[in-house]
Amino acid sequence: MYNSDVFRRISEKSSMMSKSQNKIAQFIINHPDTAPFLTASKLASRAGVGEATVVRFANFLGYRGYPEMQQHLQEAIKRQLTTVERLELSSEEYSEDEKVVYEILNDDIQNIKNTIQRIDPAEFKRAVQAIIEAERIYILAYRSAVSLGTFLEFYLDLVLQNTELIRSADGVSEHLLGIKEQDLVIGIGYARYTRRTVEVMKYAQEKGARTMALTDNLMSPLIPYADIKLLANSEISSFIDSFVAPLSIINALITTVTRKEQHKVKKRLADLEDLWATFHVFK
Amino acid sequence: MYNSDVFRRISEKSSMMSKSQNKIAQFIINHPDTAPFLTASKLASRAGVGEATVVRFANFLGYRGYPEMQQHLQEAIKRQLTTVERLELSSEEYSEDEKVVYEILNDDIQNIKNTIQRIDPAEFKRAVQAIIEAERIYILAYRSAVSLGTFLEFYLDLVLQNTELIRSADGVSEHLLGIKEQDLVIGIGYARYTRRTVEVMKYAQEKGARTMALTDNLMSPLIPYADIKLLANSEISSFIDSFVAPLSIINALITTVTRKEQHKVKKRLADLEDLWATFHVFK
DNA sequence: CATTATATGAAATATTTATTTCATAGTACA
DNA sequence: TGTACTATGAAATAAATATTTCATATAATG
């Protein structure tokens, strides 16, 4: 299985390589994330050898032809993509049962990493700006996503005092009836996208309000109705969707908004401190 | 530059896609590290459409042909490979402001990594067992932690139907008055630990119920009253605490409980599916 | 320094992959 | 319910890519 690994084969046979073959091997090793995408003739010219030599090189390593070698190079790159952080869960050290927790936490690390890749800084900036400029903010979240909505509402309302979470599932809330163009609606939608979230987003957009979606991918049904799109991955080895990466994005939103509005927020937080102290809210 | 991004183009045009084109878009988005390596015909069969439709899809997105689209998909994957590990925080590429989001997400990765280090598999196992054995489960969460509580309640109640979230801050809820030894109280407490959470945990333990704490460290005021202790880090460069790692632990809890109780849970989930279908809850 | 063996690349050929064509199925609209 | 319009995939054709051939260069051997 593993002897299919191109790099292993190269190192095994490196002593028997001709001058040109060495050039090719060198190129592949020095450009591991370019080589898998090249055609035989491109690889040839990049490595400075003839086309035929490349094909012979593949045969030399034991492949049936260049495409087979190419495929194995691609496999290697794919493994890299998916297992970056994979812990050694294979051993017998832990029972099936105990592995789950490690598996899930690693999946979630991967989710955040993939989310980082997909961040569009300009779009994120727009999201922050929209929150700051909004007169009122409505957060749409149903079912399990209510947890995310609750968190976002808690902090946005703490610092801006103009945020409200819409969670009742029946029809468009009365609160949204008077929605204005200066208002912002943030829809949170994952996996089994709740129909209601989509409907309300659509309604808000038709009313001319700004809309923002936090969802898992661009094919999500929320996307067509979102002026601002934030993506965060949610896949874990479970029957549930993970809200870890979206929550991290929310952390970032709250933090950035607060830093930008520091001058306004500072006094309010200080006042709150006094209030909390008076009522002994914290230990 | 960025308009070359396949995913962006897909989202821009997603509203004008036909049924088959949607299938293709769906496939590409759901298999971003497989799609770039497929030939037009393989992508066609994997997405369940004709070969010609794939070529037309590439044209539809504005590419001169399939190979051009493929190349752009490969670029995206290459970018990922080279940047996953290195943070883009060093350079002047991003403004102070744009860095925050990368900073926070990386902090959260670190939180999960540290949390993994601190997992005690035996203790985690006890936590799962306690949840399964409990007659009734009460979750204590106040203020921002309500979000975590909501999530945990949602799924535990979904699969076990014996869970309740206590969130009102005034005194000990009436629900807890009749608490028994076979019941379990799960307290979630972070940073500015709310006094109320601690008091209720103490009350529950005095009444003989089992107690479990999800908190950030062993010095947390919840710890003395917890029979079972789960730790998850929460520090990020912000004025708020991050619930990302605790949420990941909750993911793991829910997943493990559900897998262990599969025989009981399976039927219930199937029934729920029917119910949801009847009421068109999902898009 | 011949002589043989081996390696090499340009060009010819074979194979694979992409594109276009065309007949038909599916939709939208009157 | 018929008519026009659009979308679709199987098959034909075109283009790109891989492999083989063959003449020549290079190295190895006595």
Side-chain angles (χ1 to χ4, degrees), chain A residues 37 44 46 71 85 89 129 182 197 261:
Chain A
F37 302 105
R46 298 276 221 109
Q71 217 180 301
E85 274 303 318
L89 296 175
Q129 205 54 38
Q182 302 88 317
T197 313
E261 295 289 274

Side-chain angles (χ1 to χ4, degrees), chain B:
Chain B
M1 177 42 110
Y2 246 0
N3 64 345
S4 65
D5 187 23
V6 183
F7 296 92
R8 175 166 307 240
R9 294 195 191 190
I10 288 178
S11 83
E12 277 169 13
K13 299 228 165 186
S14 69
S15 57
M16 321 171 214
M17 283 183 196
S18 69
K19 217 191 292 176
S20 299
Q21 287 179 325
N22 209 67
K23 277 190 201 171
I24 299 171
Q26 211 64 256
F27 181 88
I28 292 177
I29 282 171
N30 291 324
H31 303 84
D33 18 306
T34 303
F37 301 106
L38 300 176
T39 63
S41 79
K42 273 181 193 150
L43 173 53
S45 71
R46 298 273 223 112
V49 303
E51 193 166 348
T53 308
V54 168
V55 174
R56 289 190 197 105
F57 181 79
N59 295 144
F60 167 76
L61 291 184
Y63 297 105
R64 305 181 81 189
Y66 179 77
E68 192 175 301
M69 180 177 91
Q70 192 186 35
Q71 217 178 300
H72 283 271
L73 281 170
Q74 295 177 345
E75 286 304 322
I77 222 175
K78 274 203 263 182
R79 253 202 308 278
Q80 226 185 95
L81 275 170
T82 52
T83 50
V84 166
E85 281 305 329
R86 82 147 204 272
L87 308 189
E88 4 238 316
L89 303 180
S90 41
S91 68
E92 317 77 41
E93 208 175 330
Y94 301 112
S95 68
E96 230 2 88
D97 210 69
E98 285 167 323
K99 279 183 199 168
V100 178
V101 59
Y102 292 103
E103 234 170 67
I104 298 283
L105 268 71
N106 275 296
D107 284 352
D108 274 333
I109 288 176
Q110 205 49 53
N111 276 327
I112 301 181
K113 282 189 178 170
N114 292 337
T115 301
I116 288 177
Q117 292 309 316
R118 303 207 292 169
I119 290 172
D120 173 350
E123 186 79 353
F124 185 81
K125 211 169 179 177
R126 272 192 291 278
V128 171
Q129 206 54 39
I131 290 173
I132 291 173
E133 288 167 0
E135 201 154 288
R136 286 206 61 76
I137 300 173
Y138 300 95
I139 299 170
L140 296 178
Y142 299 106
R143 299 179 50 83
S144 58
V146 166
S147 56
L148 286 177
T150 304
F151 188 78
L152 183 57
E153 179 203 23
F154 184 87
Y155 280 110
L156 285 188
D157 202 54
L158 188 73
V159 299
L160 304 173
Q161 301 138 270
N162 64 352
T163 304
E164 190 179 334
L165 174 66
I166 313 282
R167 43 186 289 173
S168 71
D170 32 68
V172 172
S173 154
E174 305 90 45
H175 299 118
L176 283 173
L177 281 177
I179 198 167
K180 288 187 307 224
E181 299 197 353
Q182 301 89 317
D183 296 341
L184 172 68
V185 173
I186 305 177
I188 303 178
Y190 273 83
R192 311 289 301 272
Y193 311 97
T194 24
R195 176 182 294 268
R196 196 65 65 190
T197 314
V198 183
E199 289 167 357
V200 178
M201 281 283 279
K202 187 175 173 188
Y203 172 84
Q205 201 181 46
E206 280 165 0
K207 285 279 185 176
R210 293 191 84 177
T211 57
M212 183 161 125
L214 175 58
T215 186
D216 60 344
N217 71 62
L218 287 173
M219 299 308 286
S220 152
L222 292 186
I223 293 293
Y225 309 109
D227 303 330
I228 298 165
K229 308 159 183 61
L230 294 177
L231 299 181
N233 297 43
S234 65
E235 231 168 81
I236 54 174
S237 333
S238 175
F239 77 105
I240 60 175
D241 266 326
S242 170
F243 286 157
V244 161
L247 181 56
S248 197
I249 288 285
I250 289 176
N251 281 338
L253 271 179
I254 295 168
T255 305
T256 313
V257 166
T258 311
R259 287 202 195 164
K260 280 207 140 183
E261 297 289 274
Q262 243 172 351
H263 48 289
K264 292 185 203 163
V265 171
K266 228 169 203 166
K267 184 171 182 320
R268 176 157 169 79
L269 285 180
D271 290 350
L272 282 173
E273 284 293 332
D274 290 346
L275 184 73
W276 291 333
T278 310
F279 286 101
H280 307 294
V281 175
F282 297 110
K283 168 67 207 293

Side-chain angles (χ1 to χ4, degrees), chain A residues 123 211-214 218 223-224 226-231, chain B residues 11:
Chain A
E123 187 80 353
T211 56
M212 180 161 129
L214 175 58
L218 287 171
I223 292 293
D227 302 330
I228 298 166
K229 309 160 183 61
L230 295 177
L231 299 181
Chain B
S11 83

Side-chain angles (χ1 to χ4, degrees), chain A residues 56-83:
Chain A
R56 290 190 195 105
F57 181 80
N59 295 145
F60 167 75
L61 291 184
Y63 297 106
R64 304 180 79 189
Y66 179 76
E68 192 175 298
M69 182 178 88
Q70 191 185 36
Q71 217 180 301
H72 284 267
L73 281 169
Q74 295 178 346
E75 286 303 323
I77 223 175
K78 272 203 265 181
R79 254 202 305 279
Q80 225 185 96
L81 279 170
T82 51
T83 58

